């Protein structure tokens, strides 16, 4: 299943291809201010990944970066914290990854699995890992017993394990599982521990890293990396689902004449039901305000 990470991801993943949305903020992954949001648990994403044996999350980022912080840090932190919460619950496998005696979250081992992209420094990884016990303890205090047991029973000793991809190469579901398994095996081999089954969370950045000059050499138009971000500044009142309902007409009008496209946007915006957010988009906007 595929989820669009709101808000930018919804501009790159047509509703016909996605099963829903999620909301992981890049600010929770900014250097020095790493966080785990108690109001954006994205519990449905974890349950979906566990049930289906994997998950794809789509987002985008601006020029100069391959991945947004939401994909390269916020979601990996989320995976690690949920894995730890499941580990210390009766529904999980007691001591399965932490040894014969499972310690409380406040005494998590320093090498608790935290999968991060290889372009992040070891120092940043260590600083993020040092915060996992606190994140997990707070989550455990906030979650009902039934939720904690639900997570442990859903994961069944498996670990949520992120894998990263961006254009021009995107992994298939089978390749994503192979990549996640190989990465996890390498991680545990380095830590001199037994390998653990994983659930791949494929994190796809829709932003192809290229310059505007390079794109003009290949196309008659200019490709702007991460143009879907900060849509309130450019979308003229359209929301992603509204755009996708009229995408064919809007693209055809843009090819013919820019002003014609602008007039069509105006008509769509003013038509009955023309600007209609999906429930997920509406909820996210309410949270972010």
């Amino acid at each position: 299943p595929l989820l669009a990470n709101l808000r930018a991801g919804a501009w790159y993943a047509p509703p016909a291809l996605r099963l829903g949305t999620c909301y992981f903020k890049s600010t929770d992954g900014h250097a020095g201010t790493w966080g785990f949001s108690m109001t954006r648990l994205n519990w449905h994403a974890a349950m979906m990944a566990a049930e289906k044996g994997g998950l794809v999350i789509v987002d985008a980022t601006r020029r100069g970066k391959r991945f947004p912080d939401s994909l390269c840090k916020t979601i990996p932190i989320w995976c690690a914290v949920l894995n730890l919460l499941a580990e210390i619950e009766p529904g999980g496998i007691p001591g399965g990854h932490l040894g014969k005696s499972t310690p409380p979250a406040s005494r998590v081992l320093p090498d608790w699995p935290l999968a991060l992209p290889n372009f992040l420094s070891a120092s940043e990884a260590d600083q993020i890992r040092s915060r996992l016990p606190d994140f997990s303890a707070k989550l455990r205090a906030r979650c009902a017993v039934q939720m904690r047991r639900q997570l442990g029973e859903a994961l069944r000793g498996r670990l949520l394990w992120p894998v990263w991809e961006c254009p021009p190469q995107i992994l298939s579901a089978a390749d994503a599982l192979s990549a996640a398994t190989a990465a996890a095996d390498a991680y545990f081999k380095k830590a001199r521990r037994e390998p653990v089954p994983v659930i791949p969370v494929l994190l796809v950045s829709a932003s192809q890293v290229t310059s505007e000059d390079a794109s003009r050499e290949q196309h008659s138009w200019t490709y702007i990396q991460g143009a879907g971000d900060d849509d309130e500044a450019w979308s003229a009142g359209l929301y992603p689902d509204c755009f996708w309902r009229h995408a064919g007409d809007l693209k055809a009008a843009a090819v013919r004449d820019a002003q014609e496209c602008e007039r069509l946007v105006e008509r769509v915006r003013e038509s009955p039901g023309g600007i209609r957010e999906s429930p997920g988009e509406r909820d996210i906007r309410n949270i972010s305000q």
Side-chain angles (χ1 to χ4, degrees):
L2 185 151
L3 299 179
N5 191 40
L6 296 177
R7 293 178 295 173
W11 290 100
Y12 296 90
L17 297 181
R18 50 182 158 96
L19 198 57
T21 59
C22 53
Y23 190 36
F24 294 96
K25 291 192 71 172
S26 285
T27 52
D28 291 329
H30 287 177
T33 59
W34 310 282
F36 181 89
S37 174
M38 299 296 165
T39 59
R40 296 181 295 275
L41 289 181
N42 292 287
W43 198 259
H44 67 294
M47 294 298 103
M48 192 179 297
E51 178 186 355
K52 302 296 184 181
L55 183 66
V56 179
I57 299 178
V58 176
D59 205 346
T61 190
R62 57 178 173 76
R63 180 175 57 187
K65 299 176 64 178
R66 291 182 63 200
F67 297 95
D69 284 345
S70 59
L71 297 188
C72 65
K73 286 180 276 189
T74 303
I75 295 178
I77 290 171
W78 173 80
C79 289
V81 172
L82 291 190
N83 288 337
L84 179 54
L85 180 66
E87 174 72 17
I88 61 178
E89 287 307 313
I93 298 180
H97 313 317
L98 295 177
K100 295 182 179 179
S101 177
T102 302
S106 60
R107 298 201 308 274
V108 62
L109 296 179
D111 61 345
W112 175 252
L114 171 66
L116 293 168
N118 56 17
F119 54 79
L120 293 185
S121 69
S123 174
E124 184 170 10
D126 288 342
Q127 291 179 73
I128 292 173
R129 184 178 285 105
S130 71
R131 301 192 182 199
L132 295 182
D134 183 53
F135 295 156
S136 182
K138 288 180 179 177
L139 177 59
R140 193 168 190 270
R142 293 282 296 272
C143 279
V145 173
Q146 295 89 333
M147 289 182 66
R148 303 200 302 265
R149 287 180 176 170
Q150 179 191 30
L151 179 66
E153 292 168 359
L155 295 185
R156 300 194 309 275
R158 300 169 295 171
L159 297 178
L160 295 167
W161 200 274
V163 181
W164 296 267
E165 283 298 320
C166 66
Q169 182 179 4
I170 301 297
L171 295 177
S172 66
D175 288 341
L177 177 57
S178 297
T181 301
D185 287 351
Y187 187 105
F188 285 108
K189 183 178 180 180
K190 185 177 180 181
R192 297 183 179 180
R193 292 157 63 183
E194 289 297 318
V196 176
V198 298
I199 300 171
V201 180
L202 182 56
L203 305 178
V204 177
S205 175
S207 304
Q208 184 167 350
V209 181
T210 184
S211 68
E212 294 179 14
D213 290 339
S215 74
R216 281 194 290 268
E217 292 177 0
Q218 302 175 24
H219 309 287
S220 59
W221 39 267
T222 300
Y223 172 76
I224 301 176
Q225 182 181 338
D229 204 7
D230 297 326
D231 55 9
E232 65 275 3
W234 60 265
S235 65
L238 296 182
Y239 295 124
D241 282 1
C242 177
F243 163 78
W244 285 112
R245 286 197 300 273
H246 301 276
D249 292 338
L250 288 168
K251 287 189 232 180
V255 169
R256 291 192 297 269
D257 180 74
Q259 291 184 343
E260 180 183 347
C261 182
E262 291 176 1
R263 289 193 293 270
L264 179 56
V265 169
E266 182 86 13
R267 291 198 299 273
V268 168
R269 189 174 65 241
E270 294 180 353
S271 64
I275 307 178
R276 186 171 71 250
E277 296 175 280
S278 69
E281 290 173 330
R282 185 165 53 251
D283 292 344
I284 295 310
R285 289 186 183 276
N286 290 338
I287 290 173
S288 60
Q289 288 176 353

